[in-house]
Amino acid sequence: MKILLKNAHVLTMDDAYREYDSGWVLAEDGRILSLGEGETPEGADEVIDCGEGILLPGFVNLHCHASMIPFRTMGDDCPDRLRRFLFPLEQEAWSRELTYLGARFAMAEMLLSGITTVVDMYYYEEEVARACMETGMRGYLGETVICQRAPGSEGPENALALSGELLEKYRDSEWIRPILAPHGTTTVSAEILESCRDLAEKYDTLLTVHACEMDEEMRYFAEKGMTPVSYLDSLGLVGPHLLAVHCIHITDEDIALMARKGARIAHCPGSNTKAGKGIAPMRDVAGAGIPFGFGTDGASSGNTLSLLDQMRLFPLCQKTKYHDRSLFPAREVVRAATRGGAEALGMRNSGMLRPGFRADMTLVGVERPSLFPVYDAYSTLVYGACAADVRLVMTGGKVRVRDGRLTELDLSRIRRELEKAMPPFRDAAEKYASVLRGNR
Ligand SMILES: [Zn+2]
């Protein structure tokens, strides 16, 4: 089936940043057939008028814990919440069912904000894969491997076995790419990190890990005369398979090492700054040529699962950090959110609008008052747009969002079913009420 999207301001995100002012894109069988400006081609089975909105490649979310929707706003301003209630609450009250229902809600929320690919790490990751398949989200998914009691597994060896199952099951999937997801540099033993590395190499897939994020993590390695990155390198983890998350406190040496070895970075400005952890040196990361993109993090850490929010925060933080207004102009920010994310994942035929590439696209409407006038479509997206402006989303050539609404999913039902499963979790959370309310 041929679908023609017409009357759009098309941002191709190709090397020349080519734009088509009154542009169109023709898609068939999940791929882009042709695109251009002016006169539209004949023979489309369906024609969609884009109402002069901005059409660009779908956003790539490089870091998420999608299922964590039930945690949203819980202890948002509470210090050290990871160990004080997040880990204990997960161990006590998290379930396979919540993973699936939370992930389904999150996929709906992400599609509505223009995200077409997500990298996820959590427990019962098989359920996240199910949610991706059902909603039409492309997923790079890894079972969290952690050396402590965790939901859905009796220990890291068990989590590794689950990773292996995922890797086998979705080996040839068009939609799911299984990856390795050791939790962090201090929460996973060296031996288990090496096992994760071996699996990533065996299956030629990504390994994603939280790194250079926490002050205590930095202190721990400083006492050994190392950095988290030099430690990962000593275990052979720094290479083209590595997608390191956060990297707030990376040093110049770390950056040079990661660039030399072909590692990638998932930058999460929203969750990094909300936790007061710091602003990553992204000017130097970009300068070194390290592929990077943005992550929303889970709803517990970043609240909204909207990449547009990250795209606004990112340049504001970086310009402020370096006292430089010209740093990261808007089109570079849009590039990082689309093509940059695809490159960080090593995706082929994604991240740009060009013939033969995947028909994963997002249309952002420009009707709201704060989006008028449009002199520079990149600026409009970065400094003015939000998730509510997303009008249409296509993944694999299928329209998943139209007129700002999900076409195949019933959001109110998805929400109702999640709410219905939440009471045991809410009851367990009550135990931490004094932590959550008392110590702000
Ligand atoms: Zn995370």
Side-chain angles (χ1 to χ4, degrees):
M1 176 164 155
K2 281 187 191 170
I3 302 181
L4 175 70
L5 302 175
K6 65 165 198 181
N7 193 22
H9 187 135
V10 176
L11 305 180
T12 63
M13 304 317 294
D14 66 8
D15 291 342
Y17 286 98
R18 200 178 330 220
E19 298 176 43
Y20 298 118
D21 214 352
S22 28
W24 52 264
V25 178
L26 184 65
E28 186 183 29
D29 295 334
R31 302 271 158 179
I32 293 168
L33 215 52
S34 54
L35 69 167
E37 193 160 23
E39 205 174 320
T40 54
E42 302 284 320
D45 301 293
E46 189 182 359
V47 179
I48 298 173
D49 191 317
C50 294
E52 296 175 11
I54 302 164
L55 185 65
L56 74 166
F59 299 128
V60 178
N61 185 359
L62 284 185
H63 184 64
C64 197
H65 313 283
S67 301
M68 292 183 82
I69 297 292
F71 284 92
R72 178 145 51 198
T73 72
M74 198 180 268
D76 263 346
D77 306 315
C78 169
D80 194 24
R81 57 187 201 143
L82 184 67
R83 286 175 205 289
R84 286 169 79 190
F85 79 88
L86 226 144
F87 275 154
L89 187 53
E90 273 178 343
Q91 284 163 13
E92 192 178 326
W94 197 255
S95 67
R96 176 178 285 274
E97 188 190 21
L98 282 176
T99 301
Y100 168 66
L101 296 171
R104 210 172 47 157
F105 185 100
M107 298 310 161
E109 181 181 345
M110 282 190 269
L111 284 172
L112 284 167
S113 73
I115 292 169
T116 53
T117 298
V118 65
V119 180
D120 193 75
M121 61 145 84
Y122 208 52
Y123 311 104
Y124 305 106
E125 197 66 21
E126 190 195 331
E127 300 295 331
V128 182
R130 196 174 135 211
C132 280
M133 297 296 285
E134 287 176 10
T135 55
M137 176 68 76
R138 240 177 259 290
Y140 281 63
L141 313 178
E143 178 80 21
T144 298
V145 179
I146 191 166
C147 293
Q148 65 185 36
R149 232 184 94 215
S153 106
E154 289 100 51
E157 284 84 9
N158 185 243
L160 277 172
L162 292 172
S163 304
E165 283 173 26
L166 211 61
L167 285 159
E168 281 299 329
K169 185 170 176 187
Y170 291 101
R171 221 178 169 148
D172 304 311
S173 171
E174 163 78 9
W175 292 91
I176 306 296
R177 183 92 164 112
I179 61 171
L180 275 299
H183 181 269
T185 59
T186 58
T187 47
V188 185
S189 72
E191 295 70 35
I192 297 294
L193 282 171
E194 285 171 333
S195 301
C196 290
R197 174 206 63 198
D198 291 346
L199 273 173
E201 283 173 3
K202 181 180 168 195
Y203 286 90
D204 191 20
T205 194
L206 285 174
L207 180 152
T208 193
V209 60
H210 297 110
C212 303
E213 179 190 6
M214 310 272 195
D215 289 345
E216 61 184 20
E217 176 196 9
M218 301 313 293
R219 274 195 299 274
Y220 174 83
F221 286 107
E223 279 165 19
K224 297 173 185 296
M226 297 178 109
T227 68
V229 171
S230 69
Y231 168 68
L232 290 174
D233 188 48
S234 74
L235 301 177
L237 267 75
V238 178
H241 292 123
L242 179 66
L243 176 67
V245 185
H246 298 299
C247 295
I248 301 164
H249 307 294
I250 43 172
T251 63
D252 292 346
E253 291 74 28
D254 292 338
I255 291 171
L257 176 72
M258 291 179 80
R260 201 168 62 244
K261 297 212 166 180
R264 301 103 198 269
I265 289 178
H267 177 50
C268 310
S271 68
N272 294 350
T273 52
K274 181 183 153 205
K277 285 172 184 158
I279 295 169
M282 297 310 289
R283 178 191 69 182
D284 303 337
V285 166
I290 297 174
F292 76 95
F294 307 123
T296 61
D297 217 335
S300 162
S301 308
N303 297 66
T304 71
L305 303 185
S306 165
L307 225 62
L308 281 161
D309 291 352
Q310 308 303 317
M311 287 159 66
R312 181 171 158 85
L313 254 177
F314 169 69
L316 302 191
C317 289
Q318 296 296 318
K319 286 170 197 289
T320 303
K321 180 180 172 76
Y322 295 103
H323 304 281
D324 181 357
R325 189 185 184 104
S326 67
L327 193 59
F328 290 115
R331 71 178 195 177
E332 284 181 26
V333 179
V334 176
R335 190 194 188 284
T338 53
R339 187 173 166 184
E343 285 171 353
L345 296 179
M347 290 174 100
R348 260 166 281 157
N349 303 327
S350 277
M352 273 186 268
L353 301 186
R354 64 192 284 183
F357 271 47
R358 280 183 175 141
D360 292 359
M361 294 181 259
T362 289
L363 173 73
V364 179
V366 289
E367 299 87 20
R368 269 197 315 121
S370 61
L371 300 175
F372 175 85
V374 179
Y375 291 115
D376 175 335
Y378 302 102
S379 271
T380 301
L381 288 174
V382 171
Y383 298 115
C386 67
D389 297 313
V390 171
R391 288 278 153 272
L392 181 134
V393 177
M394 193 183 255
T395 66
K398 289 206 171 113
V399 178
R400 314 290 179 175
V401 173
R402 186 190 288 236
D403 301 325
R405 289 173 175 274
L406 295 160
T407 55
E408 303 162 314
L409 305 167
D410 180 347
L411 184 58
S412 53
R413 205 180 113 210
I414 288 173
R415 178 175 162 159
R416 241 183 357 257
E417 287 177 7
L418 174 58
E419 257 186 321
K420 223 170 104 190
M422 277 173 54
F425 173 82
R426 278 184 203 266
D427 292 348
E430 267 308 299
K431 266 188 227 166
Y432 302 92
S434 62
V435 177
L436 298 178
R437 290 188 209 112
N439 195 343
R440 289 174 189 265

